[in-house]
Amino acid sequence: MSGDPAVDDLVAALGEALAPDRVRHDGAERALLSRDASVFEGGVAGPVCFPVSTSEVQAIMRIAAAGGHNVVPRGAGTGLAGGAIPLGAPIVVSTTRMNRILDVDVDDRIAWVEPGVVNLDLSRHLGPLGFHFAPDPSSQQVCTIGGNVANNSGGPHCLAEGVTNAHVRAIEVVLPDGEVAMLGGLDAEPLGYDLRGVFVGGEGTLGIATRIAVTITPNPPAVRTLLLSFAEVVDAANTVSAVIAAGCVPAAMEVMDQRITVAVERYVGAGYPTDAAAVLLAEVDGLAHGVDHDAETIATIGRANGATDVRLAANDDERALLWKGRKTAFGAIAQIAPDYYLHDTVVPRSKLADVLEQVYAIADRHELLVMNVFHAGDGNLHPLLIFDAREPGVLERVHLAGAEIITASLDAGGVLSGEHGIGVEKQQYMDRLFTDDDLDHQDRLRRAFDPTCRANPGKVLPVGHSCADIQSLRAVPTGVWG
Amino acid sequence: MDLGLASDDLDKCVQCGLCLSSCPTYRVTGDETMSPRGRIALMRHVQHRGAPLTAEVVDAFETCIQCRGCEPACPSSVPYGHLIEQTRSVLVASGASTPWWQRLAFRQLARPRLLRAGTTVLALAQRAHLVPQRLGLPARLPLRRDPHVVSGRDVYLFTGCVMDAWQRDVHHAAARVLEAAGCGVTPTGDAAPCCGALQAHAGLLDETRRLARRMIEQLEPDVPIVVDSAGCGAAMKDYGRLLDTDEGRAFAERVVDVHEFLAPILDRLPTVDPLDLRVAVQDPCHLRHVQRVHGATRTVLAPFVRELVELDDDGLCCGAGGAYSVLHPALAGTVRSRKLAAITRASADVVASANPGCTMHLAAGGCATLHPIELIDRALSEERAPGRPPRRSRRRSSRG
Ligand SMILES: Cc1cc2nc3c(=O)[nH]c(=O)nc-3n(C[C@H](O)[C@H](O)[C@H](O)COP(=O)(O)OP(=O)(O)OC[C@H]3O[C@@H](n4cnc5c(N)ncnc54)[C@H](O)[C@@H]3O)c2cc1C
Ligand code: SF4
Ligand code: SF4
């Protein structure tokens, strides 16, 4: 009992539509679901629902629509831009119980999944069939396909294969009014506008995905993984541009600077050199003959750009360990300082080295420690500012440095987010990239799905654009900096 | 409320969520309050922000199986096991957790004679069909136990509490295998009646400390202490931290899991024909996530069976968790179903698991489970069986 009869009625109605033990409204649950993996605080969750079917999601949406309540979908809560932070005391719809792999069609290379299926679980399931799901965010062992779709997430292996958008064929969506719509389709060229493409990357502001048809990718017959060491970070960045310029598109190209490799070594002992200023982890896949040729190309270009050492992973175990190191980089840095703020901008590959130097200079100016790990092949930078939030005044410096990093990236012709989404994190920068006119059109597109702005309100579009401008949302402004 | 947790340990968690999939209770509920990240956040709320200990918060802490699967998954090395143990001990002290009757039950573990007498009563009751199956007891508790035999003093074999009363056959098998490797064995028997692991999980840390000190006093120094129960071994290896004394640390150094002990001296065991079985290895959590010596199980077992097969669930807990399966039968059952599905996928003849709680819990779920040492013992004793024609000595294969 909450003491507020309206809330009690809402909880009771939801409990009746689902099952009483799949609707929670206690303080512990709400406190936990007011956060995700980002630094943002200030969210306040309403009742938390754990539906198990499309019709249950529909029932929740109808109850929300009838009562004018906001709704926020949530997957595993690993988002880094605050997409799942509940603003406006919404009903939180957790998809974790909708985690069935419904159908796999190897001939048509399609898998139908519920949104709560964990990314890696799908690839594991497909493994014995000789397939995998290509987008592989570093959080893949925990994040959900629904979250991947909503954030249009990428991963190290999206360089050649493309990010989530390239791997989603059709999405069943429960719209904010409770109607169910199928966006996209299994035909090669579905008729009409590509609404599927609109939904991917919609960050939960357009409705809730309840079933998703994804493309499954055959496992490559051969893989080669190289580790190149450099005495300068820019040498690594230049190597990346040169490899692509040479017409070779590896499956993945990831750069980590020395601070990262030191932290990662302490955690997994992946075998990274800790004395190199930067390492480039590159992977090529395809037919055996081709991969040897590509590996040689990368090695040659690396040496020409100053690589001090080039190593080829000897076997699958070594390869897996190198990737484990890369994929746990964000977590591993917590051994250095308790808090981090991870940025996610994309710059043209040719400007990589340039922007990187600026990032280091910006951090220096604000007396902050910065580490760089990035999907170099895409020009997707992930500078990590690490700090101890207990130090007075440090948050302001982190904030300022962050703003300057974003400015530097945009000035170099880049964009705001490579893969983590806009969420609440980068809203205020949207008008740096878009004109008022652009933003108005985006707002209108959104309203076509959600005329009353109740689906994940307060996200993506900056304040001043109606869907973000609901006063009540700002009534809990403990500030995103806790 | 002060939970007595070190701020530095709590602050190590950056709430990345990378531990979520390794947590059995989160896996089956999808609920953040049942996850490591959530439980750590609740600890912070209670300790740093004065949030009240509501029923839901206590439930979140009590439903943790303490399998510690979240630890190897965590890139920030959050010492979760110590955090939850300490939290539970404060809950007990404040009366919020582990009621008196449970505490009383835990105290009986250190009373070997009583435990054995109780077992005999239960065994008789079972035979009279008076014991409901849902209690998860082994299908047929032993009515009598062969006495332990001292064959030398190269190693102690730690025999413990419930395991000695219910599964003494496993200790006998371990002793025979150690002897076959040329070690004289002293079973610890009533000299060291209980390691205190179950008590520590329930938050009765003082009771565990008392038992630890007693064991250290009773056992002679310098003799390695071989343990065939993963949970006991993990607890005893932690005595150094628990007691924070030099004696505790020196003792902990001597504790060694039976597979860990045998792996480097495997060539001392006779070469025999492997059992014609496809065996799935189910790692007890405290062997895999805490002691992290599960590789040794495979090394030691591989030569004695036709085939070893891995489960495809990344070492997720089976739900046994010491007394957990008794205290939280519904959740433990759901977690076990997940494990049983993985076992079915592995299509093995038998499952090997090196912890009494896990073998019992899985067996109660209808899955034939043996301790790896029983399989090794069986392979060795088939060879010894009289009347069999002598075999050509075979090269030991190094499968697994
Ligand atoms: C250590 C770490 C590493 C990471 N590495 C990467 C990386 O390499 N690449 C990358 O792109 N991201 C990365 N991320 C970010 C994050 O993991 C991804 O954005 C992921 O896709 C989020 O999935 P989730 O299930 O956790 O979603 P959540 O965080 O729960 O939600 C994310 C957004 O999706 C919406 N949403 C969730 N489910 C649905 C649904 N069914 N329908 C509609 N909307 C929905 C939510 O409202 C929210 O806006 C990383 C995060 C961490 C902590
Ligand atoms: S315990 Fe470790 S893995 Fe889990 S959320 Fe915290 S830092 Fe991440
Ligand atoms: S110890 Fe096990 S049950 Fe407890 S939080 Fe960690 S993984 Fe989950």
Side-chain angles (χ1 to χ4, degrees):
Chain A
M1 293 289 116
S2 67
D4 177 344
V7 174
D8 290 345
D9 286 350
L10 174 62
V11 173
L14 291 167
E16 201 166 311
L18 277 66
D21 64 342
R22 288 191 282 109
V23 178
R24 288 187 62 167
H25 192 255
D26 55 278
E29 183 80 38
R30 292 170 59 216
L32 296 185
L33 292 211
S34 70
R35 301 288 306 266
D36 59 8
S38 70
V39 293
F40 300 100
E41 293 197 12
V44 177
V48 180
C49 301
F50 296 88
V52 295
S53 66
T54 302
S55 56
E56 286 191 353
V57 174
Q58 227 181 340
I60 297 169
M61 281 295 210
R62 291 213 168 108
I63 291 170
H69 302 287
N70 299 321
V71 178
V72 171
R74 177 184 172 103
T78 66
L80 292 166
I85 301 277
L87 297 177
I91 299 171
V92 177
V93 180
S94 167
T95 62
T96 50
R97 298 284 282 269
M98 296 178 75
N99 60 354
R100 288 175 305 161
I101 297 169
L102 300 167
D103 185 43
V104 176
D105 183 337
V106 181
D107 295 332
D108 286 341
R109 301 196 171 171
I110 297 267
W112 276 100
V113 299
E114 290 184 328
V117 168
V118 170
N119 176 302
L120 189 60
D121 285 355
L122 177 58
S123 284
R124 286 255 167 85
H125 182 86
L126 297 172
L129 305 170
F131 288 82
H132 66 286
F133 179 55
D136 64 334
S138 304
S139 52
Q140 75 181 128
Q141 72 267 42
V142 289
C143 66
T144 66
I145 308 268
N148 297 165
V149 168
N151 278 354
N152 193 14
S153 298
H157 287 86
C158 290
L159 178 55
E161 303 277 1
V163 296
T164 301
N165 190 27
H167 304 272
V168 174
R169 303 282 282 276
I171 315 170
E172 178 191 82
V173 177
V174 176
L175 296 168
D177 61 2
E179 289 301 304
V180 177
M182 184 63 80
L183 310 180
L186 303 188
D187 302 335
E189 269 309 316
L191 298 173
Y193 293 113
D194 182 13
L195 296 177
R196 173 210 62 88
V198 173
F199 190 87
V200 177
E203 300 191 31
T205 62
L206 306 175
I208 300 182
T210 45
R211 284 195 303 149
I212 303 158
V214 297
T215 307
I216 59 177
T217 308
N219 295 341
V223 181
R224 297 286 180 274
T225 307
L226 295 123
L227 186 70
L228 294 86
S229 311
F230 295 90
E232 301 284 344
V233 183
V234 289
D235 292 345
N238 288 332
T239 301
V240 170
S241 309
V243 167
I244 306 257
C248 167
V249 184
M253 278 203 285
E254 301 285 305
V255 172
M256 278 165 277
D257 74 7
Q258 188 173 14
R259 288 173 184 153
I260 296 271
T261 53
V262 170
V264 166
E265 277 310 293
R266 218 175 294 157
Y267 167 53
V268 278
Y272 292 136
T274 48
D275 53 353
V279 297
L280 168 64
L281 186 61
E283 189 159 279
V284 288
D285 62 22
L287 298 172
H289 179 70
V291 293
D292 286 334
H293 177 262
D294 286 351
E296 196 42 52
T297 307
I298 295 173
T300 310
I301 294 176
R303 288 199 191 93
N305 280 280
T308 52
D309 184 45
V310 179
R311 202 175 99 203
L312 190 67
N315 52 39
D316 279 355
D317 287 347
E318 200 179 316
R319 175 173 169 262
L321 202 54
L322 286 172
W323 278 113
K324 180 169 185 197
R326 164 62 188 87
K327 294 202 166 185
T328 47
F330 297 149
I333 56 94
Q335 304 182 358
I336 296 167
D339 301 282
Y340 66 75
Y341 192 157
L342 176 59
H343 285 271
D344 166 45
T345 64
V346 182
V347 299
R349 246 183 331 263
S350 57
K351 299 276 177 59
L352 256 180
D354 214 30
V355 176
L356 263 177
E357 278 183 351
Q358 292 188 49
V359 167
Y360 284 110
I362 291 167
D364 272 355
R365 238 189 346 268
H366 292 281
E367 293 169 25
L368 291 166
L369 201 56
V370 70
M371 300 186 165
N372 277 292
V373 48
F374 48 95
H375 308 314
D378 301 323
N380 188 183
L381 282 178
H382 285 317
L384 276 145
L385 296 168
I386 49 183
F387 56 97
D388 184 341
R390 291 168 297 191
E391 189 187 314
V394 71
L395 285 171
E396 285 69 27
R397 296 199 329 262
V398 168
H399 207 31
L400 284 173
E404 285 177 31
I405 288 173
I406 289 173
T407 305
S409 308
L410 295 182
D411 287 350
V415 299
L416 272 177
S417 164
E419 52 184 23
H420 297 165
I422 304 296
V424 289
E425 185 198 12
K426 287 173 213 125
Q427 267 172 331
Q428 79 258 40
Y429 300 110
M430 286 288 273
D431 52 7
R432 294 280 323 266
L433 199 60
F434 299 105
T435 64
D436 267 356
D437 224 24
D438 290 334
L439 290 171
D440 270 346
H441 281 90
Q442 294 198 24
D443 196 28
R444 266 186 256 168
L445 176 61
R446 174 185 174 156
R447 279 168 173 274
F449 283 82
D450 180 20
T452 51
C453 299
R454 290 181 299 98
N456 206 358
K459 305 290 167 61
V460 187
L461 294 175
V463 180
H465 290 268
S466 56
C467 275
D469 205 19
I470 296 170
Q471 277 312 311
S472 64
L473 297 179
R474 301 285 140 192
V476 272
T478 32
V480 287
W481 296 103
Chain B
M1 175 179 200
D2 185 8
L3 295 172
L5 303 170
S7 279
D8 281 351
D9 287 347
L10 273 183
D11 288 344
K12 275 196 181 145
C13 175
V14 292
Q15 57 180 56
C16 63
L18 291 185
C19 51
L20 294 176
S21 293
S22 308
C23 175
T25 53
Y26 176 79
R27 271 293 195 167
V28 301
T29 61
D31 187 342
E32 194 78 33
T33 61
M34 300 252 183
S35 79
R37 173 172 70 175
R39 291 176 175 125
I40 294 168
L42 292 176
M43 291 173 197
R44 281 184 181 148
H45 275 279
V46 172
Q47 174 154 314
H48 292 335
R49 303 190 181 184
L53 266 184
T54 59
E56 290 85 6
V57 176
V58 173
D59 192 54
F61 294 142
E62 284 191 332
T63 49
C64 169
I65 309 179
Q66 300 187 60
C67 67
R68 293 167 70 173
C70 45
E71 285 187 21
C74 170
S76 319
S77 311
V78 174
Y80 179 82
H82 301 157
L83 291 175
I84 189 75
E85 222 169 70
Q86 169 63 24
T87 301
R88 294 277 283 264
S89 77
V90 174
L91 291 192
V92 173
S94 71
S97 181
T98 316
W100 64 269
W101 59 269
Q102 283 181 21
R103 267 178 270 176
L104 193 71
F106 282 119
R107 214 162 291 141
Q108 307 319 314
L109 295 178
R111 301 200 175 140
R113 251 171 267 133
L114 200 70
L115 206 60
R116 285 194 291 267
T119 303
T120 307
V121 172
L122 268 176
L124 284 168
Q126 265 185 337
R127 283 157 181 80
H129 303 288
L130 294 175
V131 182
Q133 262 197 333
R134 67 184 154 76
L135 285 184
L137 296 183
R140 226 169 149 76
L141 284 170
L143 266 175
R144 48 180 295 279
R145 284 155 290 274
D146 289 337
H148 288 299
V149 180
V150 176
S151 62
R153 189 143 275 215
D154 296 320
V155 297
Y156 278 119
L157 176 64
F158 177 72
T159 49
C161 57
V162 185
M163 187 174 178
D164 197 39
W166 293 5
Q167 299 185 1
R168 189 177 283 180
D169 288 348
V170 177
H171 292 324
H172 288 317
R176 280 192 295 270
V177 174
L178 288 165
E179 283 157 12
C183 298
V185 179
T186 300
T188 53
D190 294 354
C194 179
C195 68
L198 297 180
Q199 294 85 336
H201 294 170
L204 305 166
L205 283 176
D206 286 338
E207 176 78 1
T208 308
R209 288 196 189 92
R210 190 179 69 76
L211 290 167
R213 277 191 288 269
R214 171 159 162 202
M215 182 161 0
I216 294 171
E217 265 166 34
Q218 293 289 318
L219 301 189
E220 280 182 29
D222 303 328
V223 182
I225 303 145
V226 177
V227 187
D228 58 11
S229 149
C232 304
M236 290 158 67
K237 284 182 176 180
D238 199 33
Y239 280 178
R241 190 193 62 87
L242 185 78
L243 298 176
D244 198 16
T245 60
D246 288 340
E247 294 77 39
R249 280 180 282 273
F251 181 90
E253 286 284 306
R254 288 156 56 206
V255 178
V256 55
D257 176 72
V258 64
H259 313 92
E260 188 187 9
F261 181 81
L262 286 170
I265 58 165
L266 202 53
D267 54 358
R268 292 208 217 151
L269 286 175
T271 302
V272 298
D273 271 351
L275 301 174
D276 189 17
L277 291 173
R278 180 175 153 95
V279 179
V281 187
Q282 154 55 20
D283 292 312
C285 293
H286 285 219
L287 204 60
R288 181 170 176 140
H289 308 312
V290 184
Q291 299 191 52
R292 303 194 188 182
V293 295
H294 53 296
T297 311
R298 290 153 180 74
T299 312
V300 175
L301 191 53
F304 297 96
V305 298
R306 171 165 52 81
E307 196 181 356
L308 282 186
V309 32
E310 297 288 339
L311 302 183
D312 61 3
D313 64 355
D314 264 337
L316 201 72
C317 174
C318 72
Y324 188 90
S325 53
V326 179
L327 298 174
H328 301 275
L331 205 49
T334 321
V335 171
R336 178 174 59 199
S337 306
R338 228 189 128 88
K339 176 62 73 184
L340 293 177
I343 289 173
T344 306
R345 285 196 295 277
S347 55
D349 301 315
V350 66
V351 177
S353 186
N355 190 57
C358 307
T359 50
M360 274 169 6
H361 185 56
L362 291 172
C367 169
T369 311
L370 290 172
H371 194 293
I373 214 79
E374 291 181 285
L375 288 165
I376 299 171
D377 177 54
R378 195 185 288 176
L380 290 173
S381 60
E382 278 187 11
E383 195 74 8
R384 282 197 297 264
R388 302 195 75 173
R391 284 215 173 82
R392 274 176 297 125
S393 114
R394 277 169 75 261
R395 245 171 195 284
R396 181 171 297 131
S397 66
S398 54
R399 249 176 268 125

